[in-house]
Amino acid sequence: KVDAFVPTVEDDIRNEGNTLALIGRLKPGVSVAQSQVEAKTLFPKFYWSKKYPDSVGNYTARPFELKQYVSGKLRRSLIVLWSAVGLILLIVCVNLSNLLLARAAARSKEFALRSALGAGRVRLVRQLLTESLVLAGMGAVLGLGLAFAITSYLAHQGSLALPLLSSVKVDGAALLWTLAISVGTALLFGLLPGLKMSSNNLQDALKDTGQGMSDGKSHERLRSVLVISEVALACVLLIGAGLMLRSFLRVLDVDLGFQPATAAAIKMDYNDGGKTAKRNAIFEEAIRRVSAIPGVEAAGISDNLPLERNRGWGGPRAKGKVYRKGEVPGAFVYIVSPGYVRAMGMRLRGRDFTWQDDMKGESTVILNERAANFVAPGEDAVGKMVLIGNNEARVIGVVADVHETNVEGKAGEQMYLPTMRDEWGPDGAELVVRTKLPPAQLAGSVMRTLRELNPNQAAVEFRPIQGIVDRAVSPRRFFVMLVGTFAGLGLILASLGIYGVISYSVTRRTQEIGIRMALGATPGRVQMSVLSKTLGLAAMGIGVGAVASIVVANLIASMLFGTTPTDPITFVVMVVLLGSVAALAGYVPARRASRINPMVALRNN
């Protein structure tokens, strides 16, 4: 959201830190690689190299496409989603083929009679293709309706940190793609049953499929292969979703370096006229009054919050030590008030800033563990003097590493500077409050307090810090949710496929089962024979799927976090889950088979 555009003031940008981004549009026919060559030549000659000689050699240019910056990080995730959708489509198509094969087998006499009466092979294939097209068309219409509803809902979800999400919609391209997929799958998977049935020998068809007799072996083998295929595809989906779920749980367990629960932040407006003393008085009074509100445990101010907007300066250097060019890493900078460390729930060794750490005394700084290890490797950095730019500062405390840009990456060097110093002017103010109450209950009280100090305080959102963390992990949560949903659909479809094939087999073998029971087969034995067939198909599908899952897991290894592609727990849990669902799908027809009355089965033949 942009309220207004204002021209840049280069000196202000330099003081704020490395926050400047250059955006250009290439001339027609010019590639990014060509712009890279020119940038290397022109960038050092920019005017600030002359105005600020100390910056010469510290900045380089690395042009890349804006599209890559906006959505490039999502490319792998979108490919995984496309693959998951493709697997679901394959499972659906396998089910459709199985359904049409079963229907065609049951209607083999009908097709044989049609052929005997003069219907050509093309006519028979066309009839089955028409049926599959009707099924695919009805599914496409239902799917488009769901797609309209879901995309409309997602477009208004500001809690998801996904670029251009608000522009997602079902457009003409999506409609054409849906039409192509529907027609293509109907033709491809409806053609197999049509060719199968139209190629049957008339006499064999009439003898092979009589009412109550077993289906032709070729039909049964084909349907079994299809069931094994969809179980294998479901296994790949389940294990992939399980690995991503395990990764997401590991992300949630990451030590952020602060405690987001029961803390909230609000952007605070103030007018200090550029005077440090006036700013300090405003900040101190605001923190004092907010801290007096019942339920508030701590309050503090920072110009930036972790996992949101950040900026970098040249990192701290140990006083008296000479560094090679490029050896000193940059550091993330936070200009904070006393109380901020406690309000954020950060672990501190040493002491926090006080309002007495003002411009009259020596400069002070708090470092994170990583920065402290750089300036004082193997030693305690607390109490040591460091250089920040050309200024000296004493390290008064060391805090745990905070994840400043994302939850999954490693924390960089960080330094926390006091708001009370002239040389460390803050870039805005975020008032952070730690409370025993739900943040929503304090919003009104905090806003009234701020408006007592500044009647021009804008009505801005009182944001839970946990909400900021949740938004930072929202892309992974969103993709895990989608892949998990697809895996659940795959599991349901596979179980329906197993149930359909076994149930149909029991129905077609009613007379055979009746004869076996009449000859002494017990209901338990009949039930076990049906279940053994079910578990046999499921075991073969799971075996193929597990091998394929290892290959797929290695392909998505870069998307996993704290989880190996061959995580044994995930494989075992998902295989057991799929096997259990398959057994349940086969149990219902097996139980029905064991209750067949031999006399009724033989009488109805």
Side-chain angles (χ1 to χ4, degrees), residues 94 98 218-232 501 537 540-541:
V94 168
N98 241 331
S218 60
H219 292 164
E220 187 154 350
R221 280 196 299 270
L222 182 56
R223 290 200 299 275
S224 296
V225 169
L226 292 175
V227 168
I228 292 171
S229 301
E230 62 181 321
V231 171
V501 167
L537 293 176
M540 286 187 282

Side-chain angles (χ1 to χ4, degrees), residues 344-381:
M344 285 293 291
M346 300 163 68
R347 299 187 299 276
L348 171 67
R349 188 178 75 253
R351 71 171 179 86
D352 193 3
F353 296 118
T354 68
W355 294 108
Q356 286 69 45
D357 291 323
D358 59 16
M359 59 186 303
K360 296 178 182 179
E362 66 179 0
S363 295
T364 54
V365 63
I366 295 175
L367 303 179
N368 72 332
E369 292 281 359
R370 186 163 178 172
N373 290 335
F374 176 78
V375 299
E379 302 178 30
D380 188 358

Side-chain angles (χ1 to χ4, degrees), residues 48 88 176 276 282 586 603:
W48 61 61
I88 286 293
L176 289 175
T276 304
I282 294 172
R603 190 182 303 122

Side-chain angles (χ1 to χ4, degrees), residues 50 84 126 130 135 300 349 437:
K50 297 178 180 179
R126 190 171 61 197
T130 302
L135 289 173
R349 188 178 75 253
L437 304 174

